[in-house]
Amino acid sequence: MNSYMQDRIKGFTEKNENKARFLIKCPDQPGIVSTVSEFLFKQGANIVESDQYTMDPEGGQFFMRIEFECPNLMKNANKIEKDFQPIAEEFHMDWRIMYVSQLKNVAIFVSKEPHCLLELLWEYQSGDLMANIALVISNHDTCREMVESLGIPFYHIPANKDIRQEVEEKQKQLLKEYEVDLIVLARYMQILTDDFVKNFKNQIINIHHSFLPAFIGAKPYERAYARGVKMIGATSHYVIGDLDEGPIIEQNIGRVDHRDNASDMKKIGQSIERSVLASAVKWHLEDRIIVHENKTIVF
């Protein structure tokens, strides 16, 4: 890691040493917001951002994200979590507290095409993607120089369907070694097994080069061209066992017309892929996403 990034990260962690985020999901009923707010008030906390959403006030699911500051937060973290447990039980909450100064460790998986990887590395270098990019894993050696030039470890692990189990064991060992919190598939063109995915529930973000659910699977630009579409897009989603069926985080589109062949569409689409993936990764790192069934609530 270069000195510029070290300074940015140090400044971020110092600035946010007393800041945390609540993510809450529970059945809706009166009193949730006031009870959580009162609890934070009694802890000496100041709420700096609050968002909530209900699917139905009459018995639907309720979702809330609160960002707050609290003096001596890390010293009192265990007590805060313990004291909140009775409230969580009363309202049947699925909840987490994330401490902003504790940056998430990110692993990026990539194959030959580097455009999504480069976007993430640029956002990281500029200080707009606040995380620790712990390592990059690739089934090709193409991107080694651009990764290692930033002081980020690069691991070349050739992969194909015949050695998939062996490859994933090596990958899991590295992810454990680097204590990875989030895996980003930045155009990693290998299918992950169910066994691998189930170990990282809602911790793997993929970019699919089409506007799902259209053109699931391989070669979506070629199929879009053959279909004569007038817009193409990209979709970032969490990975589940079913291919390209995971909870969608972000999507975007671009216009095309009869003059654009499959190569033109791919060039337009790659720009969309970069921005869509970067947005999804940032939202995850900022704890803005709550997964409910096969959908996401993004605050």
Side-chain angles (χ1 to χ4, degrees):
M1 184 188 302
N2 60 42
S3 59
Y4 173 78
M5 276 307 304
Q6 288 177 335
D7 290 343
R8 292 296 296 262
I9 288 176
K10 181 180 178 182
F12 178 87
T13 55
E14 290 177 351
K15 179 181 178 181
N16 293 283
E17 64 180 350
N18 288 320
K19 186 177 287 186
R21 300 167 182 140
F22 253 125
L23 285 185
I24 294 171
K25 176 172 69 172
C26 63
D28 197 3
Q29 60 177 292
I32 299 172
V33 175
S34 62
T35 301
V36 175
S37 300
E38 183 180 5
F39 169 80
L40 290 173
F41 173 74
K42 289 180 178 179
Q43 301 296 323
N46 181 39
I47 295 173
V48 296
E49 186 176 334
S50 179
D51 293 282
Q52 53 270 335
Y53 166 72
T54 180
M55 300 183 75
D56 186 345
E58 301 297 329
Q61 282 290 308
F62 177 83
F63 308 88
M64 182 162 61
R65 177 187 185 271
I66 292 182
E67 192 164 300
F68 65 92
E69 291 185 348
C70 186
N72 302 312
L73 176 63
M74 298 312 299
K75 180 180 178 181
N76 298 318
N78 290 337
K79 181 180 183 302
I80 291 173
E81 294 185 26
K82 182 180 178 180
D83 290 350
F84 187 73
Q85 188 60 39
I87 295 174
E89 293 174 359
E90 177 186 353
F91 289 95
H92 306 287
M93 291 178 175
D94 179 359
W95 65 283
R96 292 178 292 152
I97 298 181
M98 282 69 61
Y99 302 97
V100 178
S101 62
Q102 296 180 348
L103 296 183
K104 295 177 177 63
N105 293 327
V106 177
I108 301 176
F109 285 30
V110 65
S111 289
K112 287 184 177 180
E113 296 185 338
H115 56 286
C116 287
L117 169 66
L118 287 171
E119 182 73 16
L120 295 173
L121 293 178
W122 165 247
E123 295 280 2
Y124 173 68
Q125 291 179 83
S126 67
D128 291 328
L129 193 154
M130 195 50 64
N132 172 37
I133 298 183
L135 73 162
V136 173
I137 296 174
S138 179
N139 57 324
H140 296 278
D141 213 33
T142 311
C143 300
R144 178 183 294 276
E145 184 176 352
M146 62 186 71
V147 172
E148 291 185 338
S149 66
L150 299 176
I152 300 171
F154 180 91
Y155 292 89
H156 175 213
I157 306 177
N160 59 61
K161 62 181 180 180
D162 297 324
I163 57 170
R164 188 162 290 156
Q165 184 174 353
E166 175 188 341
V167 168
E168 290 189 347
E169 283 303 316
K170 292 179 181 178
Q171 292 170 341
K172 285 189 283 188
Q173 289 174 9
L174 287 169
L175 297 172
K176 182 178 180 180
E177 177 184 341
Y178 284 91
E179 299 180 335
V180 166
D181 304 297
L182 174 66
I183 302 166
V184 181
L185 307 183
R187 294 303 304 275
Y188 182 66
M189 307 308 289
Q190 293 288 315
I191 295 175
L192 302 176
T193 66
D194 287 350
D195 181 65
F196 185 95
V197 171
K198 72 181 181 182
N199 288 287
F200 302 97
K201 184 178 180 181
N202 300 329
Q203 291 177 281
I204 308 175
I205 295 179
N206 183 43
I207 182 66
H208 185 71
H209 43 313
S210 79
F211 196 81
L212 294 176
F215 306 121
I216 290 174
K219 297 186 176 181
Y221 292 123
E222 289 79 359
R223 289 187 286 142
Y225 172 70
R227 183 64 181 84
V229 302
K230 302 306 179 187
M231 62 179 65
I232 56 172
T235 303
S236 190
H237 63 93
Y238 287 116
V239 176
I240 62 173
D242 295 329
L243 182 64
D244 297 331
E245 295 286 349
I248 291 171
I249 303 170
E250 172 65 331
Q251 296 180 292
N252 207 344
I253 59 170
R255 301 290 303 184
V256 295
D257 63 26
H258 60 277
R259 300 176 184 85
D260 297 309
N261 58 30
S263 296
D264 297 327
M265 290 185 179
K266 182 175 181 179
K267 185 175 181 180
I268 296 168
Q270 286 181 338
S271 178
I272 305 170
E273 293 167 31
R274 299 199 317 263
S275 63
V276 167
L277 180 60
S279 293
V281 172
K282 287 180 186 178
W283 293 340
H284 182 98
L285 296 175
E286 295 171 359
D287 307 306
R288 296 189 175 276
I289 307 170
I290 300 176
V291 177
H292 176 62
E293 296 177 348
N294 203 43
K295 296 181 179 181
T296 61
I297 309 300
V298 183
F299 288 119

